Amino acid sequence: MMKEFQKSQKLMGNMFEITVVDDRDSVAFEHIETAVLEIQRIENLLTTYKDNSQTHIINQNAGIRPIKVDSEVFELIERSLRISHITDGYFDISYGGIDKSFWNFNRDMKQLPDPELVKKHLKLVNYKNIILDQENHTVFLKEKGMRISFGGIGKGYAAEMAKRVLQEIGVVSGVVNASGDLTTWGSQADGKPWTIGIADPDNAALPFSYMNITNTSVATSGNYEKFVMIDGKKYSHTINPKTGMPVSGIKSVTIICPNAEIADAMATPVGIMGIDAALNMVNQINHLECIIIDDFNKIYSSQNINLK
């Protein structure tokens, strides 16, 4: 009899929950381990914290020389630049120099960083200064001090790749959930579609809406989990790469599309670029939908969404 098997594990600094449908316990958990190994492999490629990771080496050589990377890393950067282009730079992997140095979203933070200092660092944030050489598979960051980081796309990419390895070894149904960036395929053990809840920003444990999905990915980005209060104003952990400042006014963004990597990457710019511009952009992209909740609990959604 088919059953759902599940395991949670901290990977890439986030809680990943992997679910597979099978009728044999030992096989199911072996499959889950295969997915975990794949996520760990990606973490080693993309982390900025390990001296031997390709991302770290690219950053170390900013303004110095191009670095030859695996085709996987090269193509992920290529896709990231395409998303930067589509979102007019509101998604930008070169924001790596901004967030950590000025914004630590633990609750000890009592004042805003010095705007002049932020401005100086912002000069280093520009996806157009990430130079790719297709022929030699090299990546070069033009300016000294530039840094790339895959914080806005890495989890979704890992979820997508974990799904792919599971499908390749014959897992017909499952869910990979990377702390709210999740991807599904097949159906539940009872044959029904997977049901996911869209979190209520004021109470993450109580979804305000449910969706039945399969072969679909959903990413939710909200400031209800990580934020600081300074002088009575709430600042979310999402940084606008054009200002270096956190976003306010939007509580949560949910993106629905076939691919977890794109869902993850789009959640950030949709939360930054302003509701009208975001809806306009999403409505022009096939197979991409979004739900936005503002600070006053008003719900906005793209044209093909029917909330129950």
Side-chain angles (χ1 to χ4, degrees):
M1 197 176 104
M2 286 300 204
K3 286 194 306 198
E4 282 153 33
F5 298 90
Q6 202 169 59
K7 183 183 179 184
S8 296
Q9 189 165 333
K10 196 163 185 188
L11 299 156
M12 301 178 83
N14 290 278
M15 224 29 176
F16 274 70
E17 189 179 76
I18 299 162
T19 306
V20 300
V21 173
D22 208 300
D23 53 0
R24 301 150 298 173
D25 299 32
S26 58
V27 175
F29 286 112
E30 253 172 54
H31 288 340
I32 288 172
E33 281 316 307
T34 304
V36 168
L37 287 172
E38 175 66 355
I39 296 161
Q40 286 169 334
R41 183 188 71 77
I42 290 164
E43 179 171 17
N44 287 331
L45 276 182
L46 304 186
T47 179
T48 50
Y49 299 112
K50 288 186 181 163
D51 291 353
N52 60 350
S53 91
Q54 296 194 10
T55 312
H56 181 77
I57 296 164
I58 292 168
N59 289 340
Q60 288 296 95
N61 287 279
I64 302 168
R65 65 189 178 99
I67 295 299
K68 194 171 176 60
V69 294
D70 292 357
S71 56
E72 183 175 6
V73 175
F74 189 87
E75 285 159 17
L76 180 61
I77 294 173
E78 219 171 22
R79 294 195 300 275
S80 297
L81 297 187
R82 228 172 290 150
I83 292 169
S84 296
H85 182 68
I86 292 166
T87 60
D88 190 26
Y90 282 105
F91 173 85
D92 194 329
I93 57 169
S94 72
Y95 80 94
I98 291 287
D99 55 346
K100 299 287 184 286
S101 40
F102 299 109
W103 296 97
N104 56 346
F105 285 91
N106 57 25
R107 305 293 157 96
D108 310 340
M109 197 169 162
K110 295 288 179 271
Q111 63 190 63
L112 296 173
D114 173 358
E116 283 310 304
L117 210 58
V118 172
K119 218 187 237 163
K120 211 176 98 185
H121 275 249
L122 263 186
K123 292 191 180 114
L124 298 173
V125 179
N126 184 351
Y127 71 94
K128 291 175 180 163
N129 286 334
I130 302 170
I131 310 302
L132 298 183
D133 179 335
Q134 196 81 43
E135 215 167 296
N136 300 307
H137 263 211
T138 59
V139 182
F140 178 51
L141 308 182
K142 238 170 147 174
E143 305 290 330
K144 260 205 155 78
M146 259 182 95
R147 283 168 51 92
I148 58 169
S149 156
F150 293 103
I153 195 170
K155 275 194 314 177
Y157 174 60
E160 195 61 35
M161 293 300 282
K163 171 174 94 173
R164 189 178 297 178
V165 299
L166 288 171
Q167 287 177 319
E168 280 168 2
I169 57 177
V171 176
V172 290
S173 298
V175 180
V176 180
N177 184 349
S179 285
D181 294 347
L182 63 88
T183 186
T184 65
W185 70 103
S187 49
Q188 297 181 69
D190 60 8
K192 291 180 180 156
W194 297 104
T195 302
I196 60 135
I198 307 290
D200 177 337
D202 295 324
N203 189 342
L206 284 176
F208 77 86
S209 179
Y210 288 91
M211 297 178 84
N212 288 334
I213 60 170
T214 184
N215 304 324
T216 305
S217 302
V218 176
T220 298
S221 162
N223 69 13
Y224 48 91
E225 283 163 343
K226 266 196 221 160
F227 60 88
V228 285
M229 296 293 289
I230 297 171
D231 298 332
K233 189 172 179 189
K234 192 177 192 178
Y235 292 92
S236 89
H237 72 289
T238 305
I239 307 286
N240 182 338
K242 297 192 177 194
T243 62
M245 300 300 271
V247 179
S248 52
I250 285 182
K251 275 186 183 171
S252 90
V253 171
T254 298
I255 301 283
I256 301 119
C257 78
N259 180 293
E261 176 191 311
I262 292 170
D264 185 10
M266 282 302 200
T268 306
V270 164
I272 297 171
M273 65 198 324
I275 291 169
D276 290 346
L279 289 174
N280 188 30
M281 175 188 74
V282 171
N283 285 333
Q284 290 178 55
I285 300 173
N286 282 340
H287 311 301
L288 185 71
E289 302 300 336
C290 74
I291 300 163
I292 303 169
I293 304 175
D294 73 9
D295 276 351
F296 303 102
N297 290 331
K298 187 161 183 220
I299 299 170
Y300 303 82
S301 61
S302 54
Q303 58 201 15
N304 295 321
I305 288 279
N306 302 311
L307 288 173
K308 289 194 179 69

